[in-house]
């Protein structure tokens, strides 16, 4: 059953929550545990990059192939060639916008074809309120709902590389400066929660002024699968605090599940 069948349910909203939209979904029980404004269409900022990664991985299998970074937007990396795998890591770990643009340009037909593919993928997932106009999430026109972000995160959890990269506490890259090689370490944008909770299996943050501070996470605990979505927090700390309290108050504190995510979709 799709998440959106619960839109008429009476949902409990934590008294401390001040984000624009919040949702905790128990996939194992097919139950919305907590929700507010879950069908409200909102900008989703860099949560967009979850769809970017899925569309790119659906086409490209040769991830060791090197691609030159293009920098139409600011990047955490110097402009040189990186493997596709490294670009995916930079995008998912540090939310690098230039990495997202480079991956989109590397798609057959280029950036425009890639964005069409992102929207087509959303339609196959029946995300009827989700739209993309860029691969990074910088545009306020990249929109979805908390309920549809839940579906997107669950689908992302079926991709091993997304699980691995999005929850890495940092990513390391070798960069070249003439004859010298320098190592750059990029910490995860959700590092504090990843350090605190080892049950997070997919993670992606986002921020723009229109979207506010956002995060989507898939969690495995006590042999159950949960998705947490927070959209539109007022500050970075508020986003972290709200996600932390949702983890503590609404997800059982038991053993981490030993499950294969591939069967879920």
């Amino acid at each position: 059953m799709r998440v959106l069948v619960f839109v008429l349910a009476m949902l409990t909203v934590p008294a401390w929550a001040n984000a624009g939209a919040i949702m905790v979904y128990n996939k194992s029980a097919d139950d919305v545990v907590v929700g507010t404004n879950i069908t409200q269409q909102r900008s989703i900022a860099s949560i967009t990059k979850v769809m970017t990664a899925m569309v790119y991985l659906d086409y490209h299998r040769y991830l060791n192939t090197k691609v030159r970074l293009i920098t139409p937007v600011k990047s955490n990396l110097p402009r040189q060639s990186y493997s596709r795998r490294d670009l995916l890591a930079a995008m998912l770990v540090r939310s690098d916008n230039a990495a997202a643009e480079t991956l989109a340009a590397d798609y057959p037909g280029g950036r425009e074809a890639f964005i069409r593919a992102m929207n087509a993928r959303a339609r196959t997932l029946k995300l009827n309120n989700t739209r993309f106009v860029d691969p990074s999430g910088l545009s306020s026109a990249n929109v979805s709902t908390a309920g549809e972000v839940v579906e997107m995160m669950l689908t992302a959890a079926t991709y091993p590389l997304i699980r691995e990269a999005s929850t890495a506490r940092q990513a390391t890259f070798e960069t070249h400066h003439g004859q010298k090689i320098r190592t750059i370490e990029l910490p995860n944008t959700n590092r504090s929660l990843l350090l605190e909770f080892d049950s997070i299996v997919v993670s992606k943050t986002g921020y723009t002024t229109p979207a506010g501070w956002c995060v989507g996470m898939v969690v495995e605990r006590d042999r159950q699968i949960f998705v947490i979505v927070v959209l539109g927090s007022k500050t970075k700390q508020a986003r972290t605090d709200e996600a932390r309290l949702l983890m503590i108050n609404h997800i059982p504190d038991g053993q981490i599940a030993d499950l294969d995510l591939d069967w879920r979709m």
Side-chain angles (χ1 to χ4, degrees):
M1 185 181 298
R2 309 296 294 185
V3 173
L4 294 183
V5 302
F6 295 99
V7 297
L8 299 179
M10 294 299 293
L11 303 174
T12 301
V13 180
W16 41 262
N18 62 16
I22 285 176
M23 187 166 175
V24 178
Y25 175 61
N26 183 334
K27 166 68 174 174
S28 301
D30 194 18
D31 180 42
V32 176
V33 180
V34 174
T36 179
N37 298 328
I38 65 175
T39 63
Q40 182 184 84
Q41 193 179 61
R42 304 180 60 89
S43 295
I44 59 170
S46 285
I47 290 178
T48 293
K49 295 182 175 81
V50 172
M51 182 63 80
T52 298
M54 289 193 291
V55 170
Y56 193 79
L57 289 168
D58 285 343
Y59 181 81
H60 284 296
R61 294 291 184 266
Y62 301 104
L63 298 182
N64 292 326
T65 300
K66 289 197 171 184
V67 180
R68 186 165 180 81
L69 184 75
I70 63 173
T71 53
V73 289
K74 185 178 179 181
S75 178
N76 299 285
L77 298 170
R79 188 170 183 177
Q80 63 178 53
S81 293
Y82 300 89
S83 71
R84 290 167 169 164
R85 188 183 304 275
D86 281 347
L87 290 171
L88 284 161
M91 181 181 74
L92 293 170
V93 174
R94 195 57 191 168
S95 206
D96 192 277
N97 294 317
E101 289 287 351
T102 302
L103 294 171
D106 186 47
Y107 192 77
R111 186 179 189 271
E112 290 186 7
F114 187 83
I115 294 167
R116 287 196 298 270
M118 292 174 71
N119 286 298
R121 186 73 167 104
R123 289 193 296 272
T124 67
L125 295 174
K126 299 182 180 178
L127 307 184
N128 297 323
N129 294 293
T130 299
R131 302 285 186 277
F132 302 103
V133 302
D134 73 32
S136 67
L138 284 174
S139 172
S140 62
N142 282 22
V143 296
S144 189
T145 68
E148 293 190 359
V149 170
V150 164
E151 295 286 349
M152 190 161 58
M153 298 301 293
L154 282 170
T155 305
T158 67
Y159 292 72
L161 189 147
I162 295 177
R163 296 201 305 271
E164 178 185 354
S166 72
T167 56
R169 294 170 183 175
Q170 68 179 30
T172 303
F173 303 87
E174 287 189 349
T175 62
H176 301 274
H177 297 265
Q179 299 299 316
K180 296 182 179 180
I181 297 177
R182 183 163 64 97
T183 299
I184 295 178
E185 294 181 350
L186 302 180
N188 196 300
T189 56
N190 201 24
R191 183 179 174 89
S192 61
L193 289 180
L194 291 171
L195 288 170
E196 185 173 354
F197 301 102
D198 60 3
S199 53
I200 300 170
V201 296
V202 178
S203 166
K204 189 69 199 78
T205 63
Y207 170 75
T208 61
T209 299
W213 297 87
C214 308
V215 66
M217 299 184 295
V218 179
V219 178
E220 289 184 351
R221 190 182 282 176
D222 199 25
R223 302 197 64 78
Q224 296 180 82
I225 303 150
F226 296 84
V227 187
I228 292 175
V229 176
V230 177
L231 303 178
S233 288
K234 298 184 186 305
T235 67
K236 182 178 181 180
Q237 189 59 52
R239 175 187 68 188
T240 299
D241 291 344
E242 286 163 349
R244 177 184 291 112
L245 288 170
L246 290 170
M247 288 279 290
I248 292 170
N249 293 334
H250 297 285
I251 296 183
D253 186 13
Q255 296 295 316
I256 299 172
D258 183 17
L259 301 172
D260 182 355
L261 284 161
D262 291 342
W263 57 266
R264 293 175 195 168
M265 305 311 297

